Amino acid sequence: MADVLNIKNLKVIFRTGETFVRAVEGVDIRIGEGERVAIVGESGCGKSVTSLACMRLLTTPPAYIAADEFTFTSSDGTVHNLLEKSESEMLALRAEEMAMIFQDPSTFLNPVMTIGEQLDEVFVYHLHMKPKEARRHSIEMMKKVGIPDPEMRAEQYPHELSGGLKQRILIAMATSLSPRLLIADEPTTALDVTIQAQILALISERCEKEKMSLLMITHDLGVVREMADRVYVMYCGKIVEEGTVDEILDHPLHPYTKALIDTVPGVEEKVERFVQIPHNVPHPSNKPQGCYFSNRCAYCTELCKKKQPPLVSKESGRYVRCYYGTEELWEK
Ligand SMILES: Nc1ncnc2c1ncn2[C@@H]1O[C@H](COP(=O)(O)OP(=O)(O)OP(=O)(O)O)[C@@H](O)[C@H]1O
Ligand SMILES: [Mg+2]
């Protein structure tokens, strides 16, 4: 069976006046059937832009998208070239085949429509159901995502629901038509820590039940460990490391991945001080000349400052963009 998503050399450039911002610079990503893939990296490294490009939710101008390959394979085996789809074709694909949930559910719920009306619309619009039948399905979906007293909740407006319940509604909307791919962009960062685990568990359960593939966008390595089979580490618009979740988290090869891991304090460890990666992610219009991580890297050499390292294959499915990317580096 073909990969659900296949992206080769994706580039996204924003143009504002005479300024060009290269937000995504030649990214390769593939997601297999039923696979759970994470993109991890700090703020501003291009995670959201990549996921929005997949959904074709970036408007041109200012965003310009190019790729050597950019295909989505739907449940019936049809291969869709996402770059060539019309907006109406994308409307059908979104929701029915590829759905997305975002960090802040409030912005995606209509404040003047009840929760029930908004869920009903999915079934009326996509499955052409009559209102009563649609409502029955909405209530059923609300039960599936663990909303207590769904009949009562269906009559309420978004402001009457907590953040966690709103995110459950969004998950219900996104997964009600059993899409083949679910993209979740930081779906728990706006929520209380105690609710986060419940929402992650719900996303996992929905993916398993509906046999959906998952693209999880996060800066949180705990979420990666919990939710992903395979991981892409992204920095300054480029993939710097790729591997299985155990390879990436237990045997990182790129100094950036290692630094990300080192900044997470263990629960049982007594934290003397927070470990930080020095400096900030450079703005896309001001990236270093050589390796983009060179100005923050503890292992940087003259070569790193001069020339961008290529993404090289270490072993099957394992890639790293560093001249010195081996575990021996950490001994130095
Ligand atoms: N509409 C836009 N116009 C110009 N630049 C943009 C636009 N949208 C995003 N960018 C730039 O693209 C880069 C990548 O942004 P993106 O939102 O993908 O980061 P991210 O990895 O999702 O970060 P975060 O963790 O903060 O969500 C950023 O430097 C951002 O300033
Ligand atoms: Mg983002």
Side-chain angles (χ1 to χ4, degrees), residues 9-230:
N9 201 18
L10 172 69
K11 293 178 180 159
V12 182
I13 295 177
F14 291 99
R15 183 183 175 171
T16 33
E18 291 308 302
T19 336
F20 294 88
V21 169
R22 286 182 296 149
V24 177
E25 286 190 38
V27 158
D28 292 2
I29 290 174
R30 50 162 287 270
I31 304 178
E33 200 178 9
E35 202 182 16
R36 305 184 310 165
V37 169
I39 302 181
V40 67
E42 284 167 291
S43 187
C45 67
K47 307 182 297 290
S48 294
V49 170
T50 302
S51 61
L52 291 170
C54 294
M55 295 292 283
R56 278 267 312 274
L57 287 172
L58 295 169
T59 32
T60 306
Y64 295 86
I65 308 178
D68 294 344
E69 189 172 343
F70 200 22
T71 54
F72 172 81
T73 307
S74 52
S75 323
D76 62 1
T78 312
V79 180
H80 304 268
N81 181 346
L82 292 175
L83 287 179
E84 288 177 357
K85 292 268 137 190
S86 69
E87 187 46 35
S88 60
E89 287 171 322
M90 278 314 296
L91 268 179
L93 262 191
R94 284 184 217 126
E96 287 172 34
E97 291 282 355
M98 46 199 311
M100 189 158 176
I101 48 176
F102 301 85
Q103 180 172 351
D104 182 4
S106 306
T107 41
F108 295 90
L109 291 169
N110 186 336
V112 297
M113 280 171 77
T114 65
I115 296 297
E117 284 165 351
Q118 297 185 58
L119 262 171
D120 295 351
E121 269 195 350
V122 177
F123 299 106
V124 172
Y125 181 80
H126 291 280
L127 301 182
H128 314 292
M129 286 183 189
K130 295 268 179 317
K132 272 205 173 131
E133 192 189 3
R135 181 54 60 94
R136 266 202 310 280
H137 277 76
S138 297
I139 300 288
E140 207 43 52
M141 267 320 293
M142 288 168 82
K143 283 184 190 156
K144 279 190 193 164
V145 297
I147 307 249
D149 201 353
E151 287 82 1
M152 182 272 284
R153 292 294 183 185
E155 301 300 329
Q156 290 188 318
Y157 290 88
H159 74 269
E160 297 175 83
L161 273 66
S162 67
L165 280 185
K166 275 189 274 212
Q167 194 59 295
R168 282 180 194 269
I169 295 293
L170 265 252
I171 293 170
M173 280 182 176
T175 63
S176 54
L177 303 174
S178 310
R180 195 147 187 253
L181 173 67
L182 177 68
I183 301 179
D185 188 352
E186 305 272 10
T188 57
T189 21
L191 302 175
D192 229 298
V193 187
T194 50
I195 310 291
Q196 287 182 3
Q198 296 175 10
I199 295 296
L200 292 177
L202 174 65
I203 293 172
S204 277
E205 183 198 306
R206 296 293 302 144
C207 285
E208 218 161 283
K209 279 229 174 85
E210 306 294 339
K211 300 193 171 36
M212 291 182 288
S213 304
L214 175 68
L215 177 59
M216 174 62 79
I217 311 285
T218 183
H219 64 271
D220 184 332
L221 294 175
V223 172
V224 171
R225 173 83 78 191
E226 201 65 34
M227 302 295 289
D229 306 318
R230 211 154 49 74

